[in-house]
Amino acid sequence: MLTSKSRTARPAVVVLACVLAACSPSSPAPGDTSAPPTTAESVAASTRAEPEQTVDSYYEQSLEWGPCAPFATTADSTAAFRIEGVQCARLRVPLDYAEPGGPEITLGLLRYRAGNPDERIGSLVLNPGGPGISGMVAAARIGVQVRKGALAQRFDLVGFDPRGVGASKPQVDCLTDAERDADRADDGETDGSPQGVAEQEAEARDFIAGCVRHTEHGERMLAHLGTREVAKDLDILRAALGDVQLSYLGYSYGTRIGYTYAEAFPARVRAMVLDGAVDPEQDALESTLAQMEGFGTAFGEFTDWCARRQDCALGPDPAGATAAYQDLVRPLIDNPVPAGERPLSYEDATTGTIQALYSEQFWEKLNTGLAELRQGSGKTLMELADQYHQRDENGKYASTQDAFTAINCVDHPKITDRAEILAAQREMARLAPFLDDGRPDGAALDACAFWPVPNTSEPGLPQVEGVPAPLVISTTNDPATPYAAGERLAEAMGGALLTFEGTRHTVFLRGNECVDEAGTAYLIDGTLPAEGTRCAP
């Protein structure tokens, strides 16, 4: 997931348990088959808590599975949780692993049971990325697609909402729905004047104040949202599922959860598929620049496709497409156009474009939206922007954007060097010129620069000695998580790299037979594809 507001302007790559007799340990792992301890001495060896609540006691919990309807928080999740065959539960974890006797939070869980219990391997736990996207909703939908396949026969498919996200409690909450609408309509981030910079930074501080005020446990919750804690939660989830070792599928930001878990719990990994890798060595600005290059490339692919059509909204010459696009969207800064009950701002137009560039399947809709904009209507581009922001037709937002910012602010070091920010803005305009608003740059600091708690992670390659070789899937023209990041992660983890040739963000279990067969074979029996394997659309 990528976000463009200056308040959240360090775009980061974006983007369950069984009971008693139903539980069974994993079959022999593709790598290490030893049975590691399921308690948490390695998580909090130095901590001491009240006798009735220790980290170990969280590992010993049982989960109660039931209907998913009570877990729904948005129209999107309401529809997903009605899918036949899903069950939901809550997992208890400590807010602060250093004080396990302190406040407790819960994670929302969703599962499909394995279709063939007699040949069940264990659970396949997945995260779809973001950060901030619901793993429960993703699991519900992926389960429909793979229900009759070998993977669904051999594994319980399990999705979880990480701490602060979706159905997990408490949820990160920073802006009301009305405030989010107003924020999107305001194009103040294009004002690089000293006054504009001051106003943007004031908004950033107001945003943080809202996060502290509206999120239960306030700053304490914000301090413990990072991927470091999510990996520890994931190990408690593994134990609650009855699995000796973890089988894991991570998309986009979910790959960060995966390699962070592997680094913390190497002996507890059975198998990992990591699709659309986040580069572990990049800081927030480096990640943003890599994304800008990816989206710049994807925009070029779109304009080449569009130029071959008689109805291309940007004209028949790809060389002039960037200027044509800018001519359409830049006027929105001063003169938004109607888009139903709300006006289409410049920010919403570019966000809708970015949403469409995530996958070729949205290109038709993007061309339609740009053609409408030429006629003075922002309807389709607003629909795409709403889809990105997860705003439903009733005006209710998912917690995604608030959680996205909060998690990234504790996962990355603060960036406060204004010269560095200005240099990065100039480079972004070069890498993705279609997103250049044509206004003078301003070095406004984003919310993360003012975040009230320190970061808990630093960039660096994961140290995963002893971890079974993962399968890393990387797409040649992935706009959000560039192909090179997958190459680096596969090398760092001693894994196999599977290449998909296309323009989209993540691909496993999305209908490509070549990729799906390779990933399924690996997860079931540990068979990695041959070196250099490439899959075509």
Side-chain angles (χ1 to χ4, degrees):
M1 174 172 288
L2 174 148
T3 186
S4 56
K5 271 287 188 186
S6 62
R7 189 192 52 256
T8 55
R10 288 179 8 202
V13 179
V14 285
V15 67
L16 293 219
C18 47
V19 262
L20 302 176
C23 294
S24 61
S26 296
S27 67
D32 183 2
T33 58
S34 62
T38 58
T39 57
E41 67 279 2
S42 64
V43 179
S46 63
T47 64
R48 294 294 182 268
E50 296 297 326
E52 68 274 11
Q53 191 68 293
T54 65
V55 175
D56 284 1
S57 69
Y58 284 101
Y59 276 78
E60 296 162 0
Q61 68 184 286
S62 297
L63 298 172
E64 297 182 6
W65 294 97
C68 291
F71 291 76
T73 59
T74 63
D76 199 30
S77 57
T78 296
F81 295 170
R82 289 174 180 158
I83 294 173
E84 183 180 357
V86 297
Q87 299 175 310
C88 290
R90 289 201 175 276
L91 180 76
R92 297 180 297 105
V93 296
L95 188 158
D96 182 353
Y97 277 88
E99 297 183 17
E104 177 178 284
I105 61 176
T106 65
L107 310 185
L109 317 173
L110 179 145
R111 76 171 177 184
Y112 283 95
R113 302 296 300 276
N116 188 344
D118 293 337
E119 296 186 6
R120 178 182 177 274
I121 293 172
S123 301
L124 176 62
V125 181
L126 69 85
N127 180 275
I133 297 176
S134 170
M136 297 173 69
V137 172
R141 290 179 171 161
I142 290 174
V144 172
Q145 299 170 24
V146 304
R147 181 173 292 177
K148 296 181 180 180
L151 208 60
Q153 297 301 306
R154 304 295 300 278
F155 289 95
D156 290 348
L157 182 65
V158 178
F160 72 104
D161 284 358
R163 51 176 58 208
V165 173
S168 294
K169 294 183 178 180
Q171 188 181 89
V172 176
D173 185 11
C174 302
L175 295 179
T176 66
D177 294 336
E179 287 171 336
R180 177 76 61 192
D181 277 347
D183 181 64
R184 288 173 54 185
D186 176 16
D187 281 327
E189 76 280 0
T190 63
D191 184 357
S193 70
Q195 180 181 351
V197 167
E199 290 176 355
Q200 292 169 58
E201 293 183 356
E203 287 183 9
R205 290 187 175 94
D206 289 344
F207 173 80
I208 294 169
C211 297
V212 174
R213 183 170 60 252
H214 298 309
T215 302
E216 186 179 349
H217 303 301
E219 286 190 14
R220 190 171 186 183
M221 183 68 184
L222 298 181
H224 297 285
L225 284 172
T227 307
R228 181 190 65 176
E229 281 81 10
V230 174
K232 296 173 184 177
D233 297 342
L234 185 55
D235 199 54
I236 292 178
L237 172 56
R238 171 201 58 77
L241 291 167
D243 289 340
V244 172
Q245 292 176 304
L246 175 72
S247 298
Y248 178 77
L249 166 60
Y251 297 98
S252 195
Y253 162 77
T255 67
R256 173 171 290 170
I257 296 174
Y259 61 67
T260 302
Y261 180 90
E263 189 168 43
F265 305 100
R268 300 178 192 174
V269 176
R270 176 187 173 272
M272 282 190 170
V273 174
L274 305 175
D275 183 1
V278 175
D279 194 320
E281 291 190 290
Q282 292 179 338
D283 66 17
L285 277 184
E286 290 168 337
S287 176
T288 297
L289 291 173
Q291 283 193 331
M292 291 300 98
E293 183 174 15
F295 278 101
T297 299
F299 184 79
E301 295 285 332
F302 163 73
T303 58
D304 287 344
W305 167 87
C306 187
R308 294 192 292 269
R309 303 164 55 98
Q310 290 185 345
D311 65 346
C312 179
L314 299 180
D317 182 9
T322 294
Y325 177 83
Q326 292 171 340
D327 288 344
L328 280 175
V329 299
R330 284 178 175 178
L332 296 172
I333 296 173
D334 297 315
N335 298 292
V337 301
E341 296 180 355
R342 293 170 292 148
L344 180 77
S345 65
Y346 172 81
E347 193 234 337
D348 275 331
T350 55
T351 299
T353 301
I354 287 168
Q355 170 66 17
L357 293 177
Y358 270 91
S359 174
E360 296 172 354
Q361 69 183 16
F362 294 123
W363 288 1
E364 186 78 44
K365 192 167 187 178
L366 176 57
N367 187 52
T368 297
L370 295 173
E372 288 177 354
L373 183 56
R374 192 173 292 282
Q375 299 302 316
S377 169
K379 179 177 178 294
T380 297
L381 285 177
M382 183 67 89
E383 289 174 359
L384 286 165
D386 283 347
Q387 184 177 353
Y388 179 91
H389 285 286
Q390 294 190 296
R391 181 191 192 272
D392 68 24
E393 60 185 11
N394 297 316
K396 182 175 176 56
Y397 286 86
S399 64
T400 307
Q401 291 293 333
D402 291 345
F404 174 93
T405 303
I407 294 167
N408 277 315
C409 286
V410 292
D411 264 4
H412 294 283
K414 300 176 188 289
I415 295 178
T416 58
D417 185 334
R418 296 182 189 274
E420 184 181 4
I421 293 169
L422 282 171
Q425 289 178 348
R426 289 191 293 269
E427 183 65 3
M428 289 178 206
R430 184 186 70 82
L431 294 171
F434 76 100
L435 291 175
D436 181 2
D437 59 28
R439 305 293 175 97
D441 291 331
L445 303 180
D446 71 350
C448 293
F450 306 109
W451 208 244
V453 294
N455 58 294
T456 55
S457 298
E458 294 284 343
L461 292 175
Q463 305 300 311
V464 293
E465 184 176 354
V467 173
L471 174 60
V472 178
I473 302 172
S474 201
T475 299
T476 52
N477 287 330
D478 186 325
T481 52
Y483 179 76
E487 291 181 304
R488 283 191 287 273
L489 185 61
E491 181 179 5
M493 297 186 70
L497 178 67
L498 176 64
T499 297
F500 176 71
E501 298 174 339
T503 303
R504 62 175 301 160
H505 181 47
T506 73
V507 64
F508 183 51
L509 302 182
R510 307 292 169 86
N512 182 272
E513 185 175 351
C514 172
V515 173
D516 291 353
E517 286 183 355
T520 298
Y522 165 74
L523 286 168
I524 290 176
D525 58 29
T527 303
L528 288 165
E531 182 177 356
T533 298
R534 303 177 77 89
C535 294

